[in-house]
Amino acid sequence: FNPPLSSSCVQVSQYACQRRTTLQDTNRIFTDAFDILAEYFEFSENKGRKVAFLRASSLIKSLPFPITAMKEVERLPWLGDQMKAIIEEILEEGKSYKVLELMSEERYKSFKQFTSVFGVGLKTSDKWYRMGFRTLEDIKNEKELKLTKMQKCGFLYYEDITSSVSWAEAETTDQLIKSIVWKFVPDAVVTLTGGFRRGKKNGHDVDIIITCPRKGKEKNILHNTISVLKNQGLLLFSDIIESTFVETKLPSKHVDALDHFQKAFLILKLPTQQTAIGDIIDPCGCEGRKWKAVRLDLVITPYEQYSYALLGWTGSRQFERDLRRYTTHERKMMLDNHGLYDKSKKVFLKASNEEEIFEHLGLDYLEPWERNA
Ligand code: TTP
Ligand code: MN
Ligand code: MN
Ligand code: MN
């Protein structure tokens, strides 16, 4: 018996690592709504519902067809009654009044503003909200309020940092870092990762991962690179985190926890491109200025962990969550940015590229641009 090939019969895996999710999202009207709801529940500290909406959104992003009728989503995993009600509302009305109502709640609006500042997360937002602050203006007017150095920079470069980083700016940053790193370590491997590696045309930051095939030669790269940036007047902010990696530790399940690599969260003073006649191209509205503040994450990894680090830092976050969930529940293994541990054989599995990690896990290989879950 061959069932007819219609959208309602398509088998869709419950795991993003078994779906090919490109940037071509033909259902943005639905996934935008679900992403907002995930954020709404993140702000209300309801982790369960946040994850539920992220999974639903991610699943819809992988559909190759635009949703036009309820029967097309009937049998899909992760779509509960509440999600189906929202899809139905959008199909009928072109928008969801339920979502608009939640978006207009005071707590959501305040948290949306607060968390848009570099260095401000849920903890600080909650504190400010409970102190009675509602807008960023409220915060700026409160001169007594203690801000971290990171948050001060977040306010100082707010416009630049919240305007997205273009592909060209990511490319410029990548070239700049390569030219500096290769002066110290000519055989260092420097890779643009994160959203740009997945093919995104813009992002909220630039992510770069660095390693060296000669053991231990990666260790001084971070400090040396940051010194050069500083001396060239290109560094506006740096938060350096030293490695906390311990060989004997088993992989951690938590995707949202920081990994143990040496890394730095930076703000660069990135020179903006000039044309032949010397006019300043002004992509960010920074009129009359020859630079733009750009967020950069630099990660240093030992060579033998590089493939795992690259897989972890390429994202998307939801892809990484599902990859770990799949590893734990379907393979009885443990995966993080440092390695893969086989619990039955009690060994760490080596991998010299991402393809080998997918092989260890018994998964078909997904290219970075198919990981936009
Ligand atoms: P992000 O830079 O936050 O996200 P992105 O590049 O996918 O999208 P954009 O910047 O355009 O908003 O994170 C990139 C990946 O890095 C993500 O999959 C999570 C991962 N990551 C870690 O694995 N460990 C860490 O410590 C951090 C900060 C991120
Ligand atoms: Mn990024
Ligand atoms: Mn991000
Ligand atoms: Mn990042």
Side-chain angles (χ1 to χ4, degrees), residues 169 271-276 278-291:
E169 287 159 349
T272 41
Q273 238 89 112
Q274 301 197 351
T275 62
D279 287 334
I280 297 156
I281 294 175
D282 185 30
C284 56
C286 27
E287 267 152 84
R289 266 176 32 202
K290 294 186 177 68
W291 57 276

PDB file of all heavy atoms in Angstrom, residues 169 271-276 278-291:
ATOM      1  N   GLU A 169      30.190  43.223   7.330  1.00  0.00           N
ATOM      2  CA  GLU A 169      30.851  43.537   8.601  1.00  0.00           C
ATOM      3  C   GLU A 169      31.435  42.279   9.256  1.00  0.00           C
ATOM      4  O   GLU A 169      32.523  42.320   9.846  1.00  0.00           O
ATOM      5  CB  GLU A 169      29.865  44.224   9.556  1.00  0.00           C
ATOM      6  CG  GLU A 169      29.568  45.659   9.131  1.00  0.00           C
ATOM      7  CD  GLU A 169      28.264  46.211   9.708  1.00  0.00           C
ATOM      8  OE1 GLU A 169      27.459  45.446  10.287  1.00  0.00           O
ATOM      9  OE2 GLU A 169      28.046  47.432   9.551  1.00  0.00           O
ATOM     10  N   PRO A 271      36.220  49.604  11.805  1.00  0.00           N
ATOM     11  CA  PRO A 271      36.244  50.668  10.793  1.00  0.00           C
ATOM     12  C   PRO A 271      35.229  50.353   9.703  1.00  0.00           C
ATOM     13  O   PRO A 271      35.131  49.221   9.247  1.00  0.00           O
ATOM     14  CB  PRO A 271      37.671  50.594  10.234  1.00  0.00           C
ATOM     15  CG  PRO A 271      38.453  49.835  11.252  1.00  0.00           C
ATOM     16  CD  PRO A 271      37.489  48.885  11.899  1.00  0.00           C
ATOM     17  N   THR A 272      34.444  51.366   9.305  1.00  0.00           N
ATOM     18  CA  THR A 272      33.479  51.123   8.230  1.00  0.00           C
ATOM     19  C   THR A 272      34.159  51.392   6.898  1.00  0.00           C
ATOM     20  O   THR A 272      35.070  52.203   6.806  1.00  0.00           O
ATOM     21  CB  THR A 272      32.218  52.003   8.389  1.00  0.00           C
ATOM     22  OG1 THR A 272      32.624  53.300   8.784  1.00  0.00           O
ATOM     23  CG2 THR A 272      31.295  51.442   9.432  1.00  0.00           C
ATOM     24  N   GLN A 273      33.692  50.675   5.893  1.00  0.00           N
ATOM     25  CA  GLN A 273      34.295  50.728   4.562  1.00  0.00           C
ATOM     26  C   GLN A 273      34.222  52.122   3.942  1.00  0.00           C
ATOM     27  O   GLN A 273      33.272  52.849   4.141  1.00  0.00           O
ATOM     28  CB  GLN A 273      33.543  49.760   3.640  1.00  0.00           C
ATOM     29  CG  GLN A 273      34.438  48.738   3.054  1.00  0.00           C
ATOM     30  CD  GLN A 273      34.561  47.495   3.927  1.00  0.00           C
ATOM     31  OE1 GLN A 273      34.092  46.491   3.534  1.00  0.00           O
ATOM     32  NE2 GLN A 273      35.184  47.531   5.088  1.00  0.00           N
ATOM     33  N   GLN A 274      35.267  52.478   3.189  1.00  0.00           N
ATOM     34  CA  GLN A 274      35.244  53.752   2.465  1.00  0.00           C
ATOM     35  C   GLN A 274      35.316  53.474   0.974  1.00  0.00           C
ATOM     36  O   GLN A 274      35.951  52.530   0.544  1.00  0.00           O
ATOM     37  CB  GLN A 274      36.432  54.613   2.875  1.00  0.00           C
ATOM     38  CG  GLN A 274      36.400  54.890   4.377  1.00  0.00           C
ATOM     39  CD  GLN A 274      37.292  56.038   4.774  1.00  0.00           C
ATOM     40  OE1 GLN A 274      38.062  56.529   3.978  1.00  0.00           O
ATOM     41  NE2 GLN A 274      37.161  56.469   6.002  1.00  0.00           N
ATOM     42  N   THR A 275      34.670  54.330   0.184  1.00  0.00           N
ATOM     43  CA  THR A 275      34.714  54.165  -1.267  1.00  0.00           C
ATOM     44  C   THR A 275      35.975  54.833  -1.805  1.00  0.00           C
ATOM     45  O   THR A 275      36.707  55.490  -1.081  1.00  0.00           O
ATOM     46  CB  THR A 275      33.499  54.809  -1.949  1.00  0.00           C
ATOM     47  OG1 THR A 275      33.539  56.199  -1.665  1.00  0.00           O
ATOM     48  CG2 THR A 275      32.199  54.234  -1.449  1.00  0.00           C
ATOM     49  N   ALA A 276      36.212  54.658  -3.107  1.00  0.00           N
ATOM     50  CA  ALA A 276      37.422  55.199  -3.719  1.00  0.00           C
ATOM     51  C   ALA A 276      37.511  56.710  -3.563  1.00  0.00           C
ATOM     52  O   ALA A 276      38.585  57.258  -3.351  1.00  0.00           O
ATOM     53  CB  ALA A 276      37.460  54.824  -5.200  1.00  0.00           C
ATOM     54  N   GLY A 278      36.447  58.329  -1.172  1.00  0.00           N
ATOM     55  CA  GLY A 278      36.590  58.688   0.228  1.00  0.00           C
ATOM     56  C   GLY A 278      35.277  58.929   0.968  1.00  0.00           C
ATOM     57  O   GLY A 278      35.279  59.290   2.134  1.00  0.00           O
ATOM     58  N   ASP A 279      34.139  58.731   0.270  1.00  0.00           N
ATOM     59  CA  ASP A 279      32.861  58.871   0.965  1.00  0.00           C
ATOM     60  C   ASP A 279      32.665  57.704   1.924  1.00  0.00           C
ATOM     61  O   ASP A 279      33.064  56.582   1.642  1.00  0.00           O
ATOM     62  CB  ASP A 279      31.699  58.863  -0.039  1.00  0.00           C
ATOM     63  CG  ASP A 279      31.653  60.161  -0.823  1.00  0.00           C
ATOM     64  OD1 ASP A 279      32.137  61.178  -0.292  1.00  0.00           O
ATOM     65  OD2 ASP A 279      31.150  60.140  -1.962  1.00  0.00           O
ATOM     66  N   ILE A 280      32.073  57.982   3.044  1.00  0.00           N
ATOM     67  CA  ILE A 280      31.858  56.924   4.024  1.00  0.00           C
ATOM     68  C   ILE A 280      30.515  56.249   3.748  1.00  0.00           C
ATOM     69  O   ILE A 280      29.478  56.896   3.728  1.00  0.00           O
ATOM     70  CB  ILE A 280      31.866  57.502   5.450  1.00  0.00           C
ATOM     71  CG1 ILE A 280      33.249  58.087   5.746  1.00  0.00           C
ATOM     72  CG2 ILE A 280      31.503  56.434   6.459  1.00  0.00           C
ATOM     73  CD1 ILE A 280      33.239  59.138   6.813  1.00  0.00           C
ATOM     74  N   ILE A 281      30.604  54.952   3.509  1.00  0.00           N
ATOM     75  CA  ILE A 281      29.363  54.191   3.396  1.00  0.00           C
ATOM     76  C   ILE A 281      28.769  54.098   4.794  1.00  0.00           C
ATOM     77  O   ILE A 281      29.473  53.833   5.755  1.00  0.00           O
ATOM     78  CB  ILE A 281      29.631  52.779   2.835  1.00  0.00           C
ATOM     79  CG1 ILE A 281      30.129  52.898   1.406  1.00  0.00           C
ATOM     80  CG2 ILE A 281      28.365  51.936   2.879  1.00  0.00           C
ATOM     81  CD1 ILE A 281      30.541  51.558   0.809  1.00  0.00           C
ATOM     82  N   ASP A 282      27.497  54.322   4.880  1.00  0.00           N
ATOM     83  CA  ASP A 282      26.900  54.470   6.198  1.00  0.00           C
ATOM     84  C   ASP A 282      25.751  53.483   6.374  1.00  0.00           C
ATOM     85  O   ASP A 282      24.587  53.858   6.294  1.00  0.00           O
ATOM     86  CB  ASP A 282      26.417  55.917   6.339  1.00  0.00           C
ATOM     87  CG  ASP A 282      25.897  56.199   7.731  1.00  0.00           C
ATOM     88  OD1 ASP A 282      26.389  55.573   8.682  1.00  0.00           O
ATOM     89  OD2 ASP A 282      24.966  57.014   7.848  1.00  0.00           O
ATOM     90  N   PRO A 283      26.083  52.208   6.577  1.00  0.00           N
ATOM     91  CA  PRO A 283      25.034  51.200   6.598  1.00  0.00           C
ATOM     92  C   PRO A 283      24.231  51.216   7.894  1.00  0.00           C
ATOM     93  O   PRO A 283      23.149  50.666   7.961  1.00  0.00           O
ATOM     94  CB  PRO A 283      25.813  49.893   6.458  1.00  0.00           C
ATOM     95  CG  PRO A 283      27.145  50.192   7.078  1.00  0.00           C
ATOM     96  CD  PRO A 283      27.400  51.663   6.905  1.00  0.00           C
ATOM     97  N   CYS A 284      24.745  51.838   8.926  1.00  0.00           N
ATOM     98  CA  CYS A 284      24.123  51.681  10.241  1.00  0.00           C
ATOM     99  C   CYS A 284      23.556  52.992  10.770  1.00  0.00           C
ATOM    100  O   CYS A 284      23.098  53.064  11.899  1.00  0.00           O
ATOM    101  CB  CYS A 284      25.163  51.146  11.232  1.00  0.00           C
ATOM    102  SG  CYS A 284      26.616  52.173  11.312  1.00  0.00           S
ATOM    103  N   GLY A 285      23.568  53.996   9.969  1.00  0.00           N
ATOM    104  CA  GLY A 285      23.032  55.272  10.435  1.00  0.00           C
ATOM    105  C   GLY A 285      23.988  55.999  11.360  1.00  0.00           C
ATOM    106  O   GLY A 285      23.606  56.962  12.021  1.00  0.00           O
ATOM    107  N   CYS A 286      25.252  55.532  11.424  1.00  0.00           N
ATOM    108  CA  CYS A 286      26.213  56.201  12.306  1.00  0.00           C
ATOM    109  C   CYS A 286      26.863  57.343  11.519  1.00  0.00           C
ATOM    110  O   CYS A 286      28.030  57.274  11.154  1.00  0.00           O
ATOM    111  CB  CYS A 286      27.252  55.244  12.862  1.00  0.00           C
ATOM    112  SG  CYS A 286      27.584  53.820  11.820  1.00  0.00           S
ATOM    113  N   GLU A 287      26.072  58.364  11.244  1.00  0.00           N
ATOM    114  CA  GLU A 287      26.485  59.453  10.369  1.00  0.00           C
ATOM    115  C   GLU A 287      27.774  60.142  10.812  1.00  0.00           C
ATOM    116  O   GLU A 287      27.964  60.428  11.981  1.00  0.00           O
ATOM    117  CB  GLU A 287      25.378  60.505  10.290  1.00  0.00           C
ATOM    118  CG  GLU A 287      24.450  60.251   9.120  1.00  0.00           C
ATOM    119  CD  GLU A 287      23.069  60.780   9.396  1.00  0.00           C
ATOM    120  OE1 GLU A 287      22.850  61.974   9.186  1.00  0.00           O
ATOM    121  OE2 GLU A 287      22.225  59.977   9.847  1.00  0.00           O
ATOM    122  N   GLY A 288      28.632  60.370   9.856  1.00  0.00           N
ATOM    123  CA  GLY A 288      29.851  61.100  10.146  1.00  0.00           C
ATOM    124  C   GLY A 288      30.876  60.302  10.913  1.00  0.00           C
ATOM    125  O   GLY A 288      31.955  60.798  11.177  1.00  0.00           O
ATOM    126  N   ARG A 289      30.521  59.054  11.280  1.00  0.00           N
ATOM    127  CA  ARG A 289      31.481  58.256  12.025  1.00  0.00           C
ATOM    128  C   ARG A 289      32.125  57.244  11.107  1.00  0.00           C
ATOM    129  O   ARG A 289      31.507  56.732  10.190  1.00  0.00           O
ATOM    130  CB  ARG A 289      30.792  57.560  13.185  1.00  0.00           C
ATOM    131  CG  ARG A 289      30.910  58.382  14.460  1.00  0.00           C
ATOM    132  CD  ARG A 289      30.136  57.729  15.577  1.00  0.00           C
ATOM    133  NE  ARG A 289      30.124  56.287  15.457  1.00  0.00           N
ATOM    134  CZ  ARG A 289      29.208  55.525  16.034  1.00  0.00           C
ATOM    135  NH1 ARG A 289      28.259  56.024  16.719  1.00  0.00           N
ATOM    136  NH2 ARG A 289      29.262  54.226  15.909  1.00  0.00           N
ATOM    137  N   LYS A 290      33.393  56.963  11.382  1.00  0.00           N
ATOM    138  CA  LYS A 290      34.114  56.038  10.517  1.00  0.00           C
ATOM    139  C   LYS A 290      34.162  54.638  11.114  1.00  0.00           C
ATOM    140  O   LYS A 290      34.945  53.808  10.699  1.00  0.00           O
ATOM    141  CB  LYS A 290      35.538  56.567  10.270  1.00  0.00           C
ATOM    142  CG  LYS A 290      35.589  57.865   9.482  1.00  0.00           C
ATOM    143  CD  LYS A 290      37.044  58.209   9.175  1.00  0.00           C
ATOM    144  CE  LYS A 290      37.167  59.449   8.326  1.00  0.00           C
ATOM    145  NZ  LYS A 290      36.745  60.687   9.051  1.00  0.00           N
ATOM    146  N   TRP A 291      33.354  54.398  12.108  1.00  0.00           N
ATOM    147  CA  TRP A 291      33.388  53.080  12.732  1.00  0.00           C
ATOM    148  C   TRP A 291      32.012  52.700  13.270  1.00  0.00           C
ATOM    149  O   TRP A 291      31.117  53.540  13.388  1.00  0.00           O
ATOM    150  CB  TRP A 291      34.407  53.058  13.874  1.00  0.00           C
ATOM    151  CG  TRP A 291      34.164  54.095  14.943  1.00  0.00           C
ATOM    152  CD1 TRP A 291      34.565  55.397  14.927  1.00  0.00           C
ATOM    153  CD2 TRP A 291      33.439  53.919  16.164  1.00  0.00           C
ATOM    154  NE1 TRP A 291      34.149  56.043  16.060  1.00  0.00           N
ATOM    155  CE2 TRP A 291      33.454  55.158  16.848  1.00  0.00           C
ATOM    156  CE3 TRP A 291      32.782  52.835  16.756  1.00  0.00           C
ATOM    157  CZ2 TRP A 291      32.828  55.349  18.093  1.00  0.00           C
ATOM    158  CZ3 TRP A 291      32.166  53.023  18.002  1.00  0.00           C
ATOM    159  CH2 TRP A 291      32.196  54.276  18.652  1.00  0.00           C
TER     160      TRP A 291
END
